Amino acid sequence: MDDDSRAKCLGLLSAFDLDVVMTSEREWGCYPQVPGIAIAQLSRIDDVAAVLVTRWEWDGTRRQRREDPVRDALHDAPGIEEPESLWG
């Protein structure tokens, strides 16, 4: 399936107001036919028992990195300390 076909298929999800969860090692869903999408990029390092989640948002024209809402909530909560970083 080429990029144009993927863009049209993802645009149909929006046209029909459908929610979807996708997984792909290369598809980000950032096409003009998609008016908005939340992206969670998962990364890992061999021999480390953890996964790094990097959050992105597509607004129909550009992709921007976003902060982690869970980490923000922990930071703002009284009496809760942020866990040690796994990445140094």
Side-chain angles (χ1 to χ4, degrees):
M1 183 180 275
D2 64 10
D3 286 344
D4 184 57
S5 296
R6 279 194 299 277
K8 288 176 182 173
C9 288
L10 290 173
L12 283 174
L13 294 171
S14 175
F16 289 109
D17 194 29
L18 298 174
D19 294 327
V20 64
V21 174
M22 299 182 345
T23 62
S24 175
E25 71 282 356
R26 73 175 205 95
E27 181 60 64
W28 284 61
C30 299
Y31 300 103
Q33 294 87 337
V34 179
I37 191 169
I39 302 162
Q41 179 185 20
L42 307 179
S43 306
R44 61 175 297 276
I45 298 173
D46 290 340
D47 301 322
V48 175
V51 176
L52 172 66
V53 180
T54 307
R55 298 181 187 281
W56 302 83
E57 287 183 7
W58 169 254
D59 66 5
T61 58
R62 64 184 176 147
R63 183 178 64 209
Q64 292 184 302
R65 186 166 178 201
R66 296 294 184 212
E67 294 301 317
D68 184 341
V70 173
R71 177 172 287 208
D72 291 345
L74 285 175
H75 184 267
D76 295 339
I80 297 179
E81 294 182 24
E82 188 170 330
E84 289 185 35
S85 172
L86 294 173
W87 311 106

